[in-house]
Amino acid sequence: MVARQLRASGGMWMRFGTTQIHVDPGPGALVRALSHVPPCNPRELDAIVLSHKHLDHSGDVNVLIEAMTSGGFRRRGAVLAPPDAFDDGPVVLPYARRFVERVEMLEPSSGPYPIGGVQLFTSMRHVHAVQTHGLHFVYEGLRVSYLPCGKYFAGLAADYARHAPHVLVINVLRYRDDMNVDHFTWPDACRVVAEIRPRVAVFQHFGTKMLEADPRRLAQQVEDELGLRAIAAYDGYVLDLETEVMAAAAD
Ligand SMILES: [Zn+2]
Ligand SMILES: [Zn+2]
């Protein structure tokens, strides 16, 4: 998907009040941010956070650090990522690291890591080829969790449920388990959403088979079955936290 850019791979731009955070800047993150209407301005970013170092989640991390710090001329902002993103074949390059005010190595099941008005917590470690954690963002009582890549295992959903997210963003790469890979399948995602029971579930990071299976139709099924708001994200999709969470609460 990334190599062919069938779907954009730039990650997520989050705004909580005046705090702005980029999560998982894959290839195209900077171009996508600037071409968004209205544009997302990297110089206003407070932090860049990686769930893990794989290229589809980190390809533009150095580009974004340069943009956030005006090419290193304004030392500011934070980069938070698992330790192996900084050592052991670093994806955050040593020169770019010096441009930011703060570097934070994320450990599993830890936090809070403050970012402006946001408190960030990590999930337990995911089963994935590199160090990977989920991310829980808390802002003024609003809880948004991001469940990135990894293989499903018992106990993962309970770990997320402890944070009682209002919104759960979940990466689902595969439609079915036709190969044993380190990623969620659609049934895994449904099972986890049913257990965590967020008010709003957003699915993203689809592989080819998932796209062919029509994520919107699948999300609609989840919505009907579980009675919560379920959304299949698409390129440029904007989730308005206040209206979506409020609307879901009113149902
Ligand atoms: Zn990965
Ligand atoms: Zn991935």
Side-chain angles (χ1 to χ4, degrees):
M1 298 302 289
V2 174
R4 293 155 74 202
Q5 285 289 301
L6 291 176
R7 281 285 180 110
S9 52
M12 292 177 278
W13 191 290
M14 297 185 174
R15 278 174 214 265
F16 299 96
T18 56
T19 302
Q20 300 189 53
I21 304 171
H22 200 299
V23 179
D24 281 356
L30 179 64
V31 170
R32 289 278 166 180
L34 293 174
S35 57
H36 192 266
V37 184
C40 297
N41 184 353
R43 285 187 215 171
E44 293 171 5
L45 277 176
D46 294 282
I48 301 164
V49 186
L50 306 185
S51 66
H52 66 297
K53 68 187 270 186
H54 276 156
L55 186 83
D56 53 330
H57 299 255
S58 70
D60 261 12
V61 66
N62 299 293
V63 180
L64 266 194
I65 290 172
E66 288 231 8
M68 179 171 74
T69 60
S70 306
F73 282 107
R74 269 179 78 214
R75 191 162 177 270
R76 58 179 297 278
V79 175
L80 303 91
D84 67 353
F86 299 102
D87 47 44
D88 184 24
V91 293
V92 180
L93 297 174
Y95 89 90
R97 216 175 131 158
R98 288 195 290 274
F99 293 169
V100 299
E101 240 169 2
R102 174 178 158 219
V103 167
E104 198 88 62
M105 311 228 182
L106 298 175
E107 297 298 334
S109 305
S110 56
Y113 301 94
I115 304 169
V118 174
Q119 304 288 330
L120 171 67
F121 298 82
T122 57
S123 76
M124 67 195 297
R125 191 170 168 168
H126 279 218
V127 177
H128 205 45
V130 296
Q131 289 176 46
T132 306
H133 324 113
L135 304 168
H136 303 281
F137 300 88
V138 181
Y139 173 74
E140 291 184 353
L142 181 70
R143 296 182 297 279
V144 177
S145 295
Y146 167 44
L147 193 158
C149 307
K151 193 190 187 73
Y152 176 83
F153 62 96
L156 187 65
D159 183 68
Y160 277 74
R162 270 197 287 283
H163 291 267
H166 297 105
V167 177
L168 176 67
V169 179
I170 175 165
N171 286 2
V172 45
L173 187 82
R174 309 194 61 83
Y175 183 48
R176 290 184 199 291
D177 197 9
D178 43 1
M179 270 182 283
N180 199 19
V181 289
D182 274 8
H183 280 97
F184 265 39
T185 62
W186 179 248
D188 294 334
C190 294
R191 185 156 44 161
V192 161
V193 168
E195 197 174 331
I196 300 172
R197 288 219 148 257
R199 286 189 194 163
V200 181
V202 182
F203 303 100
Q204 62 162 18
H205 201 289
F206 307 129
T208 318
K209 291 273 159 49
M210 258 308 289
L211 270 192
E212 283 168 10
D214 190 357
R216 280 191 204 208
R217 179 183 63 88
L218 295 171
Q220 186 61 53
Q221 285 173 4
V222 169
E223 198 162 297
D224 296 342
E225 278 165 33
L226 299 178
L228 47 80
R229 184 94 172 94
I231 298 157
Y234 49 86
D235 295 350
Y237 172 69
V238 178
L239 175 72
D240 185 323
L241 289 172
E242 272 173 45
T243 48
E244 285 291 357
V245 172
M246 300 274 265
D251 288 345

PDB file of all heavy atoms in Angstrom, residues 51-57 128-130 132 148-150 171 182-183 205, ligand 1:
ATOM      1  N   SER A  51       4.742   5.273  17.220  1.00  0.00           N
ATOM      2  CA  SER A  51       4.322   4.039  17.893  1.00  0.00           C
ATOM      3  C   SER A  51       5.406   2.987  17.742  1.00  0.00           C
ATOM      4  O   SER A  51       5.630   2.172  18.622  1.00  0.00           O
ATOM      5  CB  SER A  51       3.009   3.520  17.312  1.00  0.00           C
ATOM      6  OG  SER A  51       3.184   3.100  15.962  1.00  0.00           O
ATOM      7  N   HIS A  52       6.082   3.007  16.595  1.00  0.00           N
ATOM      8  CA  HIS A  52       7.211   2.125  16.344  1.00  0.00           C
ATOM      9  C   HIS A  52       7.980   2.618  15.129  1.00  0.00           C
ATOM     10  O   HIS A  52       7.552   3.539  14.442  1.00  0.00           O
ATOM     11  CB  HIS A  52       6.772   0.664  16.203  1.00  0.00           C
ATOM     12  CG  HIS A  52       5.916   0.356  15.000  1.00  0.00           C
ATOM     13  ND1 HIS A  52       4.671   0.899  14.789  1.00  0.00           N
ATOM     14  CD2 HIS A  52       6.136  -0.489  13.950  1.00  0.00           C
ATOM     15  CE1 HIS A  52       4.156   0.402  13.662  1.00  0.00           C
ATOM     16  NE2 HIS A  52       5.027  -0.430  13.135  1.00  0.00           N
ATOM     17  N   LYS A  53       9.153   2.023  14.907  1.00  0.00           N
ATOM     18  CA  LYS A  53      10.095   2.591  13.945  1.00  0.00           C
ATOM     19  C   LYS A  53       9.906   2.130  12.505  1.00  0.00           C
ATOM     20  O   LYS A  53      10.615   2.599  11.620  1.00  0.00           O
ATOM     21  CB  LYS A  53      11.537   2.276  14.392  1.00  0.00           C
ATOM     22  CG  LYS A  53      11.899   0.795  14.300  1.00  0.00           C
ATOM     23  CD  LYS A  53      13.270   0.517  14.922  1.00  0.00           C
ATOM     24  CE  LYS A  53      14.376   0.640  13.915  1.00  0.00           C
ATOM     25  NZ  LYS A  53      15.685   0.222  14.487  1.00  0.00           N
ATOM     26  N   HIS A  54       8.971   1.227  12.226  1.00  0.00           N
ATOM     27  CA  HIS A  54       8.814   0.761  10.840  1.00  0.00           C
ATOM     28  C   HIS A  54       8.620   1.935   9.886  1.00  0.00           C
ATOM     29  O   HIS A  54       7.996   2.941  10.235  1.00  0.00           O
ATOM     30  CB  HIS A  54       7.633  -0.213  10.738  1.00  0.00           C
ATOM     31  CG  HIS A  54       8.009  -1.623  11.110  1.00  0.00           C
ATOM     32  ND1 HIS A  54       7.093  -2.546  11.547  1.00  0.00           N
ATOM     33  CD2 HIS A  54       9.229  -2.246  11.110  1.00  0.00           C
ATOM     34  CE1 HIS A  54       7.723  -3.692  11.806  1.00  0.00           C
ATOM     35  NE2 HIS A  54       9.013  -3.531  11.558  1.00  0.00           N
ATOM     36  N   LEU A  55       9.115   1.758   8.677  1.00  0.00           N
ATOM     37  CA  LEU A  55       9.176   2.858   7.720  1.00  0.00           C
ATOM     38  C   LEU A  55       7.827   3.490   7.422  1.00  0.00           C
ATOM     39  O   LEU A  55       7.723   4.706   7.261  1.00  0.00           O
ATOM     40  CB  LEU A  55       9.809   2.356   6.413  1.00  0.00           C
ATOM     41  CG  LEU A  55      10.035   3.482   5.415  1.00  0.00           C
ATOM     42  CD1 LEU A  55      11.326   4.215   5.720  1.00  0.00           C
ATOM     43  CD2 LEU A  55      10.044   2.958   3.990  1.00  0.00           C
ATOM     44  N   ASP A  56       6.769   2.674   7.387  1.00  0.00           N
ATOM     45  CA  ASP A  56       5.458   3.257   7.069  1.00  0.00           C
ATOM     46  C   ASP A  56       4.940   4.140   8.205  1.00  0.00           C
ATOM     47  O   ASP A  56       3.924   4.822   8.054  1.00  0.00           O
ATOM     48  CB  ASP A  56       4.433   2.165   6.687  1.00  0.00           C
ATOM     49  CG  ASP A  56       4.303   1.056   7.702  1.00  0.00           C
ATOM     50  OD1 ASP A  56       5.295   0.749   8.401  1.00  0.00           O
ATOM     51  OD2 ASP A  56       3.203   0.485   7.809  1.00  0.00           O
ATOM     52  N   HIS A  57       5.648   4.144   9.338  1.00  0.00           N
ATOM     53  CA  HIS A  57       5.258   4.980  10.482  1.00  0.00           C
ATOM     54  C   HIS A  57       6.299   6.049  10.799  1.00  0.00           C
ATOM     55  O   HIS A  57       6.070   6.884  11.673  1.00  0.00           O
ATOM     56  CB  HIS A  57       5.044   4.095  11.725  1.00  0.00           C
ATOM     57  CG  HIS A  57       3.954   3.093  11.529  1.00  0.00           C
ATOM     58  ND1 HIS A  57       2.721   3.231  12.100  1.00  0.00           N
ATOM     59  CD2 HIS A  57       3.902   1.972  10.764  1.00  0.00           C
ATOM     60  CE1 HIS A  57       1.960   2.208  11.711  1.00  0.00           C
ATOM     61  NE2 HIS A  57       2.644   1.446  10.903  1.00  0.00           N
ATOM     62  N   HIS A 128       5.205  -7.435  17.754  1.00  0.00           N
ATOM     63  CA  HIS A 128       5.536  -6.890  16.446  1.00  0.00           C
ATOM     64  C   HIS A 128       7.053  -7.017  16.310  1.00  0.00           C
ATOM     65  O   HIS A 128       7.741  -7.221  17.300  1.00  0.00           O
ATOM     66  CB  HIS A 128       5.067  -5.420  16.399  1.00  0.00           C
ATOM     67  CG  HIS A 128       4.800  -4.915  15.017  1.00  0.00           C
ATOM     68  ND1 HIS A 128       4.101  -5.606  14.075  1.00  0.00           N
ATOM     69  CD2 HIS A 128       5.140  -3.738  14.417  1.00  0.00           C
ATOM     70  CE1 HIS A 128       4.027  -4.896  12.959  1.00  0.00           C
ATOM     71  NE2 HIS A 128       4.651  -3.759  13.142  1.00  0.00           N
ATOM     72  N   ALA A 129       7.578  -6.887  15.105  1.00  0.00           N
ATOM     73  CA  ALA A 129       9.001  -7.164  14.891  1.00  0.00           C
ATOM     74  C   ALA A 129       9.920  -6.185  15.619  1.00  0.00           C
ATOM     75  O   ALA A 129      11.058  -6.513  15.939  1.00  0.00           O
ATOM     76  CB  ALA A 129       9.302  -7.151  13.395  1.00  0.00           C
ATOM     77  N   VAL A 130       9.443  -4.973  15.875  1.00  0.00           N
ATOM     78  CA  VAL A 130      10.247  -3.958  16.568  1.00  0.00           C
ATOM     79  C   VAL A 130       9.457  -3.468  17.782  1.00  0.00           C
ATOM     80  O   VAL A 130       8.271  -3.779  17.922  1.00  0.00           O
ATOM     81  CB  VAL A 130      10.572  -2.765  15.635  1.00  0.00           C
ATOM     82  CG1 VAL A 130      11.444  -3.215  14.471  1.00  0.00           C
ATOM     83  CG2 VAL A 130       9.291  -2.111  15.110  1.00  0.00           C
ATOM     84  N   THR A 132       7.085  -1.762  19.941  1.00  0.00           N
ATOM     85  CA  THR A 132       5.841  -1.096  19.545  1.00  0.00           C
ATOM     86  C   THR A 132       4.925  -0.954  20.753  1.00  0.00           C
ATOM     87  O   THR A 132       4.728  -1.923  21.487  1.00  0.00           O
ATOM     88  CB  THR A 132       5.110  -1.940  18.470  1.00  0.00           C
ATOM     89  OG1 THR A 132       6.004  -2.214  17.385  1.00  0.00           O
ATOM     90  CG2 THR A 132       3.871  -1.226  17.947  1.00  0.00           C
ATOM     91  N   PRO A 148      -1.726   0.634  17.413  1.00  0.00           N
ATOM     92  CA  PRO A 148      -0.999   0.519  16.140  1.00  0.00           C
ATOM     93  C   PRO A 148      -0.821  -0.941  15.717  1.00  0.00           C
ATOM     94  O   PRO A 148      -1.630  -1.783  16.091  1.00  0.00           O
ATOM     95  CB  PRO A 148       0.333   1.196  16.474  1.00  0.00           C
ATOM     96  CG  PRO A 148       0.527   0.939  17.925  1.00  0.00           C
ATOM     97  CD  PRO A 148      -0.844   0.837  18.552  1.00  0.00           C
ATOM     98  N   CYS A 149       0.236  -1.218  14.962  1.00  0.00           N
ATOM     99  CA  CYS A 149       0.391  -2.544  14.376  1.00  0.00           C
ATOM    100  C   CYS A 149       0.820  -3.573  15.413  1.00  0.00           C
ATOM    101  O   CYS A 149       1.430  -3.256  16.416  1.00  0.00           O
ATOM    102  CB  CYS A 149       1.435  -2.468  13.267  1.00  0.00           C
ATOM    103  SG  CYS A 149       1.040  -1.183  12.078  1.00  0.00           S
ATOM    104  N   GLY A 150       0.518  -4.803  15.128  1.00  0.00           N
ATOM    105  CA  GLY A 150       0.909  -5.906  15.999  1.00  0.00           C
ATOM    106  C   GLY A 150      -0.018  -7.077  15.810  1.00  0.00           C
ATOM    107  O   GLY A 150      -1.031  -6.980  15.121  1.00  0.00           O
ATOM    108  N   ASN A 171      -5.373   0.027  13.926  1.00  0.00           N
ATOM    109  CA  ASN A 171      -4.777  -0.356  12.647  1.00  0.00           C
ATOM    110  C   ASN A 171      -5.183  -1.782  12.307  1.00  0.00           C
ATOM    111  O   ASN A 171      -4.913  -2.707  13.071  1.00  0.00           O
ATOM    112  CB  ASN A 171      -3.250  -0.277  12.724  1.00  0.00           C
ATOM    113  CG  ASN A 171      -2.751   1.147  12.725  1.00  0.00           C
ATOM    114  OD1 ASN A 171      -3.546   2.090  12.696  1.00  0.00           O
ATOM    115  ND2 ASN A 171      -1.449   1.330  12.771  1.00  0.00           N
ATOM    116  N   ASP A 182       2.325 -10.324  11.583  1.00  0.00           N
ATOM    117  CA  ASP A 182       2.329  -9.512  12.805  1.00  0.00           C
ATOM    118  C   ASP A 182       1.295  -8.405  12.802  1.00  0.00           C
ATOM    119  O   ASP A 182       1.580  -7.306  13.248  1.00  0.00           O
ATOM    120  CB  ASP A 182       3.690  -8.813  12.915  1.00  0.00           C
ATOM    121  CG  ASP A 182       4.719  -9.683  13.582  1.00  0.00           C
ATOM    122  OD1 ASP A 182       4.410 -10.858  13.814  1.00  0.00           O
ATOM    123  OD2 ASP A 182       5.806  -9.170  13.871  1.00  0.00           O
ATOM    124  N   HIS A 183       0.130  -8.635  12.266  1.00  0.00           N
ATOM    125  CA  HIS A 183      -0.844  -7.554  12.167  1.00  0.00           C
ATOM    126  C   HIS A 183      -2.240  -8.048  12.507  1.00  0.00           C
ATOM    127  O   HIS A 183      -2.536  -9.234  12.391  1.00  0.00           O
ATOM    128  CB  HIS A 183      -0.869  -6.979  10.748  1.00  0.00           C
ATOM    129  CG  HIS A 183       0.245  -6.026  10.480  1.00  0.00           C
ATOM    130  ND1 HIS A 183       1.405  -6.402   9.852  1.00  0.00           N
ATOM    131  CD2 HIS A 183       0.387  -4.714  10.758  1.00  0.00           C
ATOM    132  CE1 HIS A 183       2.207  -5.370   9.758  1.00  0.00           C
ATOM    133  NE2 HIS A 183       1.620  -4.329  10.299  1.00  0.00           N
ATOM    134  N   HIS A 205      -5.158   1.999   8.223  1.00  0.00           N
ATOM    135  CA  HIS A 205      -3.993   1.176   7.922  1.00  0.00           C
ATOM    136  C   HIS A 205      -4.404  -0.120   7.209  1.00  0.00           C
ATOM    137  O   HIS A 205      -3.994  -1.217   7.573  1.00  0.00           O
ATOM    138  CB  HIS A 205      -3.246   0.861   9.231  1.00  0.00           C
ATOM    139  CG  HIS A 205      -1.809   0.461   9.068  1.00  0.00           C
ATOM    140  ND1 HIS A 205      -1.438  -0.736   8.529  1.00  0.00           N
ATOM    141  CD2 HIS A 205      -0.656   1.072   9.394  1.00  0.00           C
ATOM    142  CE1 HIS A 205      -0.111  -0.834   8.534  1.00  0.00           C
ATOM    143  NE2 HIS A 205       0.379   0.258   9.050  1.00  0.00           N
TER     144      HIS A 205
HETATM  145 ZN    ZN B   1       4.986  -2.129  11.815  1.00  0.00          ZN
END
